[in-house]
Amino acid sequence: MTTTAITNIASLVTNDPSLGDGSPLGLILDAAVVIEGDRVVWTGESSKAPATDNAVDAGGRAVIPGFVDSHSHLLFAGDRTEEFNARMSGRPYTAGGIRTTVAATRAATDDELDANVVRYLAEALRQGTTTFETKSGYGLTVEDEARALRIAARHTDEVTYLGAHVVPPDYADDPAGYVDLVTGPMLDASAPYARWVDVFCEKGAFDGDQARAILTAGMAKGLHPRVHANQLTHGPGVQLAVELDAASADHCTHLTDADVDALAQGNTVATLLPGAEFSTRANWPDARRLLDAGATVALSTDCNPGSSFTSSMPFCIALAVRDMGMTPDEALWSATAGGAAALRRTDIGRISPGARADLVLLDAPSHVHLAYRPGVPLVQAVRQRGERAL
């Protein structure tokens, strides 16, 4: 395999505290990275870089790990422009919300759903995302959930079965029957295509007992749990996630002290999704409270057509710094290494020997510009698995 050195890097974020300045970001100034195949094999000061087959001049720009978007909903059709417009205009909106998306998704062809995924992945890549998780949840029938996951598995290893998104209209009078479907035939059809099982544990969706039954059924099929938890109200989602050693509890907007303590003491990552609060004018999650308690925090887009229609991790970083009490360093770590932790991955979210060579070159001298210059397209180049992807 050929080796390539990227040199003349103004600041390199490695996310390895054994490197550089010893901070969680492992920041190295005037740095270089050496890639062999799809892996990073060396990082350090540019003047000490070993000889390589090829060299790329970063031009005094910053290099960061590729963003890890650990929570998205990309398997859908249609959009909900009218709903968003009404909400932002202060007008009542009585259309079907998620039911509108379910109807459009069920009606879409496989090729249409696949094309949508490809479109949003290309959009995310242009903004530096090199790893993403995505979920089903807009089919809510055995056939439609399984096909959504089958399509998702063409594009990522991080596929999540979310048959328990909401109870669909056809089961409105029989929610117990729908739980039986989600834990029975739907799970059987979906599990071969998924790594994760998820549930929306919330008032109006699934209560704690239902969520436990759904997650444990998925675990019995070899799927690993993650939970939509405590987004709209206080509830049992976070505690259940920690109890079941879920990889992540996502949203975490309404937390008690006991919830924060549980996250700090367990292995479950608190994944915060500021795009949802931005798009619904809801209360922001208190990232500072979680970080000060010692919890591991991830940032993700929650890209979906209803409550967070953004694929931009830089935008989420800017929101987290501006409105959630995070420093620029913490927000970047959470959008890269934090996302990797939420997926229980050690090969991504960092730039150090042995890591997958997913790198983003910013048209800026420092990662701080992601929050300092919100809305500006700073991603100049992306390498994914060592190859130039953008």
Side-chain angles (χ1 to χ4, degrees), residues 14-15 65-66 68 131 333 336-338 340 346-351 355-356 358:
T14 68
N15 284 341
V68 180
T131 301
W333 189 95
T336 51
T346 58
D347 61 327
I348 56 175
R350 63 184 175 92
I351 302 176
R356 201 170 79 182
D358 294 344

Side-chain angles (χ1 to χ4, degrees), residues 235-325:
V238 164
Q239 295 290 338
L240 180 61
V242 174
E243 177 192 335
L244 297 181
D245 194 32
S248 66
D250 297 17
H251 288 289
C252 294
T253 309
H254 299 274
L255 302 178
T256 65
D257 289 345
D259 293 332
V260 174
D261 289 344
L263 289 165
Q265 294 169 19
N267 298 316
T268 299
V269 174
T271 300
L272 308 183
L273 310 168
E277 281 72 35
F278 177 86
S279 296
T280 60
R281 290 179 173 158
N283 293 330
W284 299 102
D286 190 346
R288 183 80 267 138
R289 182 184 178 200
L290 286 160
L291 290 165
D292 288 348
T296 300
V297 172
L299 286 176
S300 189
T301 63
D302 191 20
C303 186
N304 76 83
S307 62
S308 183
F309 205 3
T310 180
S311 58
S312 176
M313 291 289 277
F315 175 64
C316 292
I317 286 173
L319 292 180
V321 172
R322 168 62 178 81
D323 292 304
M324 289 163 48

